[in-house]
Amino acid sequence: MALIVQKFGGSSVANAERVFNVASIITDTYKKGNNVVVVVSAQGDTTDDLIEKAKEINPNASKREMDMLLTAGEQISISLLAMAIEKLGCPVISLLGWQAGFKTNSAYGSARISEVTPDRLQKELDGKKIVIVAGFQGLNKYDDMTTLGRGGSDTSAVAIAAALHADRCQIFTDVTGVYTADPRKVENAQKLKDITYDEMLEFATLGAQVLNNRSVEMAKKYNVELEVLSSLVREDGTIVREVANMEKMLIRGVTKDTDIARISVVGMKDIPGNAFKMFSRLAQKGINIDVILQSVGRDGTKDISFTCASSNADDAVAILKDIFDMEGAVVSSDTTVAKVSIVGAGMQSHSGTASKMFGALYEAGININMISTSEITISVLIDKEYADKAVSAVHKAFFG
Ligand code: ADP
Ligand code: ASP
Ligand code: MG
């Protein structure tokens, strides 16, 4: 008898037919003699719809009230799924995040899980019940509900798998695994048999939304092997683990992030300490910085630009204006940019990976604004309107 955690995303439970489809996957697993804990997301576009509803009432609603609202999406899906399983004749109970023991910090809207106390989960499993847990939510020290950030149900599933030392953690979604590029956008995208935590973490962070990056981070930390597979098509998915079969692959995939902004400070004094001042103030505000470019000093001034999430752009500009307006430097933000990246541990031992990527962009007539690299990634900043074209061109260069 194994303990299996199964997570189903919003599209997998979007309507009654899909809820019953998922219920049958769960009950099949249960009837084979396994203990099953299920994590489920809100149905279809429920979370987006709730956000729209809130905007109609108050576009500046507090994050605390937003979380109170958004947690309702998962409350609907857990109860409906439990009802479907009741109808299929298996013992089942649905639990909200706090009932399942999820404690988080107080960062409403992007809370981090501090601990999962699985006593109630264990009690229900001991009572031979299938347990359905609301993803994406927990409780902070003020006994308020929090959410974990968009796509956070993946992280809920991994946290339960870690807390219960589950034998398997399956992430069911609407595609059959992790592909070399978004299979909905890139025709020749190929399914990967497996991928390492480090590669998947970069892939997710750089835009491949199939797994939430925090879930991969947590899976690596607690050594939870993940299987990404389809709830609609029954075939083997992709395994995410510490060591993966490289299959002589130079790179694992191509991805894009269009939710970014480029912030520029032009004409700052060319003196020591300015970069430190900038980035320490941004860090204090919790703003994550990515690709950074500094110009060569000229006439006693220099320019620095960097990218951050577009949701942080206004805050970043306000902070930098506060620092640099006095000096006469000009701060601006530009959200018409996108980041296109390739990811793969294979590039460490091969030269020519960057030139292959840049060559593909050149042939597609796409201009590169900024470049950044790590051991297993190369990212370029380009005009947003060419993002899809760039992903396809780069994908074609590496995967034919
Ligand atoms: P869920 O609702 O199940 O959490 P998501 O929408 O969050 O599903 O993630 C699945 C989607 O991720 C797919 O429909 C696909 O379009 C997208 N995606 C982006 N990049 C990739 C990739 N490299 N491999 C697979 N899917 C990807
Ligand atoms: N329902 C949440 C969202 O849409 C959490 C998730 O789907 O993982 O982001
Ligand atoms: Mg998701």
Side-chain angles (χ1 to χ4, degrees):
M1 188 175 59
L3 170 57
I4 300 180
V5 174
Q6 299 184 320
K7 180 260 169 179
F8 297 90
S11 51
S12 297
V13 291
N15 53 41
E17 189 193 341
R18 296 249 172 123
V19 169
F20 274 106
N21 168 60
V22 164
S24 76
I25 296 175
I26 296 165
T27 50
D28 284 355
T29 311
Y30 177 79
K31 284 176 188 163
K32 284 184 187 141
N34 300 300
N35 281 321
V36 190
V37 179
V38 174
V39 172
V40 68
S41 300
Q43 288 185 288
D45 296 327
T46 302
T47 308
D48 291 326
D49 295 345
L50 290 172
I51 291 171
E52 284 310 309
K53 266 193 174 37
K55 278 190 192 148
E56 280 172 26
I57 303 282
N58 177 0
N60 300 315
S62 65
K63 288 185 170 175
R64 193 246 178 219
E65 293 310 323
M66 283 305 292
D67 277 4
M68 186 57 100
L69 177 69
L70 297 190
T71 50
E74 272 70 13
Q75 180 159 3
I76 296 172
S77 54
I78 53 168
S79 47
L80 292 177
L81 182 56
M83 290 172 198
I85 292 172
E86 279 176 352
K87 199 162 174 183
L88 297 182
C90 291
V92 61
I93 184 165
S94 67
L95 299 175
L96 288 171
W98 67 267
Q99 293 175 300
F102 275 83
K103 292 273 164 48
T104 73
N105 68 9
S106 294
Y108 297 106
S110 57
R112 285 197 174 255
I113 298 168
S114 47
E115 63 173 321
V116 178
T117 317
D119 301 3
R120 176 78 187 270
L121 284 171
Q122 195 57 59
K123 188 183 124 211
E124 302 299 348
L125 289 172
D126 292 344
K128 288 281 154 251
K129 284 192 178 139
I130 295 170
V131 189
I132 315 284
V133 179
F136 177 57
Q137 55 175 255
L139 200 70
N140 68 17
K141 64 178 177 191
Y142 308 111
D143 282 349
D144 281 338
M145 305 251 254
T146 53
T147 66
L148 308 180
R150 298 306 304 269
S153 298
D154 296 335
T155 314
S156 309
V158 175
I160 290 182
L164 292 173
H165 306 289
D167 298 288
R168 257 153 82 192
C169 184
Q170 298 179 307
I171 309 287
F172 288 87
T173 182
D174 57 356
V175 289
T176 56
V178 179
Y179 281 71
T180 51
D182 186 340
R184 296 186 188 286
K185 297 250 167 73
V186 178
E187 219 174 283
N188 276 334
Q190 295 154 30
K191 186 163 76 180
L192 299 168
K193 253 193 148 120
D194 54 13
I195 182 167
T196 65
Y197 292 124
D198 289 335
E199 290 171 316
M200 192 62 231
L201 182 57
E202 294 286 0
F203 211 17
T205 305
L206 294 168
Q209 115 208 60
V210 60
L211 280 178
N212 175 282
N213 59 350
R214 279 194 190 167
S215 73
V216 184
E217 198 177 46
M218 189 178 288
K220 178 180 160 76
K221 186 168 170 192
Y222 295 100
N223 205 17
V224 175
E225 195 171 288
L226 301 178
E227 184 181 0
V228 179
L229 70 175
S230 167
S231 63
L232 301 165
V233 182
R234 296 204 186 189
E235 63 178 51
D236 286 347
T238 301
I239 305 289
V240 188
R241 54 160 74 107
E242 189 60 44
V243 181
N245 167 22
M246 293 297 291
E247 291 171 345
K248 297 203 186 77
M249 283 175 104
L250 184 56
I251 67 162
R252 293 291 186 172
V254 187
T255 187
K256 65 165 185 183
D257 187 350
T258 51
D259 269 340
I260 59 166
R262 176 177 41 188
I263 312 290
S264 306
V265 186
V266 175
M268 69 171 71
K269 276 191 196 141
D270 192 8
I271 49 171
N274 265 343
F276 168 68
K277 240 196 291 186
M278 271 173 79
F279 293 114
S280 56
R281 285 280 297 278
L282 294 163
Q284 276 164 17
K285 278 275 172 193
I287 298 176
N288 273 331
I289 301 306
D290 200 22
V291 191
I292 301 174
L293 194 72
Q294 179 180 311
S295 70
V296 181
R298 211 182 316 108
D299 302 328
T301 68
K302 67 186 172 193
D303 312 331
I304 294 186
S305 39
F306 62 87
T307 61
C308 63
S310 49
S311 56
N312 289 143
D314 290 347
D315 285 348
V317 167
I319 290 168
L320 297 177
K321 280 195 167 160
D322 187 44
I323 305 176
F324 292 111
D325 263 3
M326 299 271 288
E327 293 185 12
V330 178
V331 182
S332 62
S333 82
D334 176 2
T335 51
T336 65
V337 292
K339 189 168 54 182
V340 170
S341 309
I342 56 174
V343 176
M347 69 175 73
Q348 290 176 98
S349 49
H350 284 82
S351 56
T353 314
S355 69
K356 196 167 181 172
M357 180 184 192
F358 303 156
L361 292 167
Y362 165 65
E363 274 167 31
I366 295 168
N367 193 32
I368 300 172
N369 296 324
M370 288 160 102
I371 299 171
S372 77
T373 63
S374 78
E375 275 188 348
I376 62 167
T377 67
I378 302 171
S379 298
V380 296
L381 200 74
I382 60 165
D383 276 0
K384 198 186 231 166
E385 63 175 307
Y386 301 123
D388 285 332
K389 189 176 172 191
V391 170
S392 293
V394 173
H395 189 270
K396 190 159 174 226
F398 285 95
F399 298 102

